[in-house]
Amino acid sequence: PDGALALLCRQIARAENLRAVGTVPSPPGFGSALAATLRDLKETAVAPSALARMDVPGAADLARSLALVSERMREAGLVDDIDLNDAAAGLAAPPDPAPLFVYGFYDATASQKRLLSAALRGRETIVFVPIEASSAYAFARPFVDFLHAIGGRDASAPPPARSAPADLRVIAAPGEA
C-alpha cells in the first residue's frame, strides 16, 4: 500500500542518515513525497547505480533510498504493480497466441508499455482507442502512435487475410451483436 511505502521511505531516510533527504525536517507528507519520487524512478527503470553516478545534488541519496526500498520489499516478499507488470512482461508468450484486442487505453506508464510490448510481440493486435480529432485528445496521440509502432493496427483498418476460427463466438449485450 502507498501508506506503507511512505512510512518505509521515511524510516529509511532517518535510519540511514541520508544527507540530502535525511536532514530534511520530516513534515507531514515527506514520506509520501519521497515514495512518489522513488516510484517515478522505478517506473522509468532508472537503476540506483545509474542514479548514483549522476553529478546532481541529492542523486546519491536518492539512489541509496531506491536501492534500500527495493531491498526491503524483496526481503519482505512484497511486490508492487511495477514489479507485477515487469514479471508478466518477462513470461514466455503462448506458442500459438490468440489475437489481442487493446481497447480504450489513452495512456500507459513505462512498465505498462513494457508489458504491452511483450504481450503484442508476435500477435495480431487490433487497437481501438476512441479519440476524436480535437485538441482535447492530443494527449492520447503519443500512446496510439506507440501501439502502432509495436504492431497494433486500428480497428477500422482492414483485417489481414485470414479465416476466422470455427469456434469464434461473439459475446455481446442483448441487442448489441
Side-chain angles (χ1 to χ4, degrees):
D2 290 339
L5 182 58
L7 180 61
L8 177 59
C9 286
R10 193 172 176 158
Q11 289 173 344
I12 286 173
R14 284 184 176 165
E16 298 296 323
N17 194 23
L18 301 172
R19 293 182 310 275
V21 295
T23 58
V24 174
S26 296
F30 170 76
S32 296
L34 180 57
T37 299
L38 297 180
R39 181 174 169 75
D40 288 346
L41 291 167
K42 181 178 179 180
E43 177 67 55
T44 54
V46 173
S49 58
L51 189 58
R53 289 189 304 269
M54 294 179 69
D55 189 23
V56 176
D61 281 346
L62 283 175
R64 179 86 175 122
S65 298
L66 183 58
L68 286 169
V69 165
S70 295
E71 180 182 312
R72 301 268 167 81
M73 286 182 63
R74 195 172 33 258
E75 288 170 355
L78 301 174
V79 295
D80 59 15
D81 59 320
I82 299 167
D83 297 324
L84 290 174
N85 286 339
D86 288 342
L91 296 175
D96 186 21
L100 187 64
F101 183 59
V102 178
Y103 171 79
F105 289 89
Y106 291 92
D107 198 5
T109 65
S111 68
Q112 291 167 338
K113 285 181 178 179
R114 291 189 294 271
L115 176 56
L116 281 168
S117 293
L120 271 64
R121 192 174 305 118
R123 286 187 174 188
E124 176 188 348
T125 304
I126 300 169
V127 175
F128 181 69
V129 179
I131 62 174
E132 298 174 12
S134 76
S135 61
Y137 291 92
F139 76 94
R141 177 53 46 198
F143 181 65
V144 172
D145 292 344
F146 160 78
L147 289 172
H148 292 156
I150 62 172
R153 67 172 175 82
D154 286 323
S156 59
R162 161 182 143 174
S163 61
D167 62 346
L168 179 67
R169 294 185 304 148
V170 175
I171 301 174
E176 295 291 322

